[in-house]
Amino acid sequence: MEIKRYIPFIIFLSIFSLLLGCAKQESRVVQGNRAQILHKGNGQEPEDLDPHIINGISEYNIISALLEGLVSEDPQTLQPIPGIAEYWEISDDRRVYTFYLRPDAKWSNGDSVTASDFAFSYRRILSPKLGSTYAYMLYPLQHAKSFHEGSITDFTQVGVKAINDQILQLTLTHPTPYFLSLLNHWTWLPVHPATILKFGKIHQRGTIWTRPKNFVGNGPFILDIWKVDQVIIVKRNEQYWDADTVRLNAIHFYPIGNPTTEERAFRAGKLHITHQLAFNKIEVYQQQQPECLRIDPYLATYFYCINVNRPPLDNPKVRQALALAIDRKSIVENVLKGGQKPALYFTPPNTAGYTSETSMTPNLQKATQLLAEAGYPNGTGFPKIELLYNTSENHRTIAEAIQQMWKKNLHIDISLINQEWKVYINTRRQQDFDLCRFGWTGDYLDPNTFLDMWTSDGGNNAAGWSNVMYDKMIEHAAEISDPNLRFELFQKAENILLTELPIIPIYFYTTVYLTQPGVKNWHPTILDHHPYKYVYLEP
Amino acid sequence: MTTFILKRIFFETLPTLLIIATLTFFMVRLAPGGPFSQEKSVTPEILENLKAHYGLNAPLHKQYFDYMKNLLRGDLGPSFKYPNRTVNELIANAFPVSFELGLYALLFALLVGNAAGLIAALCPNTKSDYIPMSLAMLGICIPSFVLGPLLVLIFSLWLGWFSVSGWDFPSDRILPAITLGATYAAYIARLTRSGMLEILNQDFIRTARAKGLPEYKIILKHGFKGGVIPVVSFLGPAVAGLISGSFVVETIFQIPGLGRFFVNAAFNRDYTMVLGTVLFFAILIILFNLVVDIILVWLNPKLRFRE
């Protein structure tokens, strides 16, 4: 009985103390600025932190703090600069790269980073049993493809050789001019062999070596805490060879998938940097807090892929008519509003210095004329075709705008179909569509990452399009090292693409996100990579 | 009572779970796309290796029996989406959070719902009836994806009393609990009101009044015990729903609970995770229905006599 009497009092007291606990405090951002702790929104919960397993940028954002490859990236241009390799030599035929590793490069447990660690890592990712979906990034290495596909099993045949602890020699099949940039892709990051073998076999998938107490890295930060779906904390690695350059003491990554929730967290001072920003918020920030809004160009193209084997789209004139009758400027300015650029060619401008000189010129008169030449004067007799996109508000709005433009300009009807992501991927793979929304992000800084997609045997060539000349040019471009000659070949290939149009480029992406003014050295980069060791916070 | 419980477990619970597991196992595999389909294409060789790793290249019936064998040992298998985690581990991580949130939401729903229902039932068809009942109707109608952001806007961004999102401090529990509990509070209020109205017109209440018992005793001791019976029946599935996590509330407040795993697993075609969460949810529902049945027997003497 005695206790019962106090229950209301206890309840009141606990509610009161809770409210006291949440009285206005200094925000996390202000505290972070003082303590050099960066709070970053990071999209989805990472699948894993194993560079040989992961598939996306959310994971890379964290791994790039934990591991460092042979080369590293310039924080502004992303050009390759010395990383674990202090310097390197390239043979005259540009097929043999010899890397000289820093003697002072250490793993976070104190072990030296050696050439054989890299050889082990490359062997691991190329092991067929590991099932790495990005292992093809290592295919420029001699015989890497054969090893990965299982046709050879002796790794010594692959072009990777640890001459001694400090010297690593990589032999390529062809001179690959973008090879050093390629080395900055996450697949080339090294793993600590003893740690991998402690928790499983070299080719074993899904072991627990990436857990906080187990993870041994060689990057500027070490993994401290990983609370699933809550936060991942990395802290300064004192063993890192360039620890003096590192200014942040820790980075907290928050897996906030919902842009609205993330924006509220930013507004409340819980985040220094968001992963994204909802389109409907862009104008608000432009007007009220332009200093927080960031719109950076991004190496990706948004386009519609055409199934060229289905009439009437098998006729290039129809495809050209469709491509010319889209007002991209209006889509970018009135629908997207995120600083995107209209895409009048396929490879994003200034991809490692390459910008297509040819471009489509939207022209309604010509579009109508082309459609008439194809046998559909003024759209009469044009069969109803379907446009497929994965379910999303943005894709729907764009599709509706284009549907309207085609209706108004060409007098043709298309119907819109949306499918849930995995269903859409499935439909796309089976080429069971007329037109299909597609987005392509470059993996590395070179036009090749875009243009080799449309070769006849390209795994992502969903258009079913094939052109012998195009294939030859892309193949030839992979074999030569003269940059001017390569770009000429890419230009010719792109010309074919723009005449044949198995795709309709629509816009070039941007990354739109928010940063607090205190974040310094966070430069706009086309791959959205931001080497953390240079970043610091100003109170 | 023991026979009743054992009967329920062996003749109802286990067969139900078996049917659910079997149906889910095959249905999730019927969905187009698989756990490894992604934007950039994967070569057939890699796909085969991935399938081999997870045993997906075996004939379907073998996969099924293997899964069932592991299930009997309580092993829900590895997650396909998160390769270095098992489904058991992910559920064990997320469930306590959902459980805690659900418990606070339940507490809120019961406190507010019962109080409002009681007040309404005591003065039927007056202001004290209409106001709480209109609010309850509003509570049922406002979806959590509206209420949540609204609460955040007022109490976090304007007043600064609470954190906008996260699950770090005790105070982070309040807004999500209210958001999650509001609809339930509204239902409970309506159920309490109708239950109480019915009981208060019974003969034994009149007898109690005639005996000259104080009003609060009549209402709380004699009336309430019978009046909450509809609420208790409602609570079985409701508690299971509350503590198994809510996708919407977890997304709004960035809470590391089970609800998001449950929904995302389906989007990711994470077969084992879908099965694991569905079975876990099924067990919760069955368990709470059983508990409710036991409580109902205790609350309602009529049921006891029948037994």
Side-chain angles (χ1 to χ4, degrees), chain A residues 18 22 47-48 128 134 205-207 210-211 226 229 255 261 270 420-422 428-429 441 443 459-460, chain B residues 34-35 37-41 49-50 54 81 83-85 89 161 163 165 167 170 251-252 254 260 267 269:
Chain A
L18 275 178
C22 41
E47 295 178 10
D48 198 346
Y134 263 94
R205 200 181 164 78
T207 66
T210 47
R211 301 292 174 88
W226 183 352
D229 227 8
T261 306
K270 292 188 94 173
E420 182 264 344
W421 175 247
K422 293 250 177 179
R428 200 174 83 185
R429 285 275 134 78
T441 311
D443 288 320
N460 294 297
Chain B
S37 51
Q38 53 178 40
E39 174 86 60
K40 299 198 174 177
S41 76
N49 281 316
L50 282 171
Y54 294 105
K81 172 78 178 170
N84 71 351
R85 299 191 188 266
E89 185 192 352
W161 290 0
S163 176
S165 54
W167 195 250
T251 304
I252 296 170
Q254 191 57 28
R260 281 198 289 178
F267 285 131
R269 305 289 188 277

Side-chain angles (χ1 to χ4, degrees), chain B residues 246-294:
Chain B
S246 147
F247 178 79
V248 176
V249 175
E250 284 169 19
T251 304
I252 296 170
F253 293 99
Q254 191 57 28
I255 296 167
L258 198 56
R260 281 198 289 178
F261 278 114
F262 188 49
V263 175
N264 285 332
F267 285 131
N268 296 328
R269 305 289 188 277
D270 194 342
Y271 295 157
T272 42
M273 193 70 194
V274 171
L275 270 159
T277 41
V278 165
L279 281 175
F280 187 73
F281 192 37
I283 291 173
L284 283 183
I285 292 185
I286 293 173
L287 187 76
F288 281 100
N289 276 327
L290 182 68
V291 172
V292 162
D293 284 348
I294 296 167

Side-chain angles (χ1 to χ4, degrees), chain A residues 11 18-19 21-24 28 44-49 53 55 128-134 136 139 148-149 204-208 210-211 226 228-230 254-258 261 264-265 267-268 270 420-426 428-429 437-443 459-460, chain B residues 32-43 45-46 49-50 53-54 80-86 89-90 93 97 111 148-149 152-153 156-172 174 250-257 260-261 264 266-269:
Chain A
I11 291 175
L18 275 178
L19 285 176
C22 41
K24 265 198 177 173
R28 205 152 69 182
Q44 302 297 332
E45 166 71 15
E47 295 178 10
D48 198 346
L49 292 179
I53 300 279
N55 289 307
K129 276 194 175 166
L130 186 76
S132 170
T133 49
Y134 263 94
Y136 67 86
Y139 283 3
H148 187 226
E149 286 171 351
Q204 198 172 333
R205 200 181 164 78
T207 66
I208 52 166
T210 47
R211 301 292 174 88
W226 183 352
V228 176
D229 227 8
Q230 216 169 345
Y254 302 91
I256 311 179
N258 183 295
T261 306
R264 280 198 295 262
R267 226 184 321 160
K270 292 188 94 173
E420 182 264 344
W421 175 247
K422 293 250 177 179
V423 183
Y424 150 86
I425 292 277
N426 206 40
R428 200 174 83 185
R429 285 275 134 78
R437 178 257 140 200
F438 214 129
W440 189 255
T441 311
D443 288 320
N460 294 297
Chain B
F36 312 116
S37 51
Q38 53 178 40
E39 174 86 60
K40 299 198 174 177
S41 76
V42 179
T43 61
E45 294 88 11
I46 300 170
N49 281 316
L50 282 171
H53 178 80
Y54 294 105
F80 295 171
K81 172 78 178 170
Y82 305 102
N84 71 351
R85 299 191 188 266
T86 62
E89 185 192 352
L90 288 170
N93 262 333
V97 175
L111 277 175
V152 171
L153 189 69
S156 307
L157 291 171
W158 289 350
L159 297 174
W161 290 0
F162 302 105
S163 176
V164 286
S165 54
W167 195 250
D168 306 315
F169 308 105
S171 60
D172 290 346
I174 294 175
E250 284 169 19
T251 304
I252 296 170
F253 293 99
Q254 191 57 28
I255 296 167
R260 281 198 289 178
F261 278 114
N264 285 332
F267 285 131
N268 296 328
R269 305 289 188 277

Side-chain angles (χ1 to χ4, degrees), chain B residues 54-118:
Chain B
Y54 294 105
L56 292 176
N57 55 352
L60 205 56
H61 63 90
K62 187 175 180 300
Q63 288 182 40
Y64 174 73
F65 287 115
D66 285 349
Y67 183 80
M68 286 298 164
K69 229 189 300 173
N70 289 334
L71 191 62
L72 281 180
R73 285 182 294 154
D75 178 6
L76 296 169
S79 158
F80 295 171
K81 172 78 178 170
Y82 305 102
N84 71 351
R85 299 191 188 266
T86 62
V87 175
N88 291 53
E89 185 192 352
L90 288 170
I91 293 181
N93 262 333
F95 178 62
V97 175
S98 293
F99 182 79
E100 191 187 341
L101 172 61
L103 222 56
Y104 292 131
L106 180 71
L107 203 70
F108 170 78
L110 281 176
L111 277 175
V112 175
N114 277 329
L118 215 61

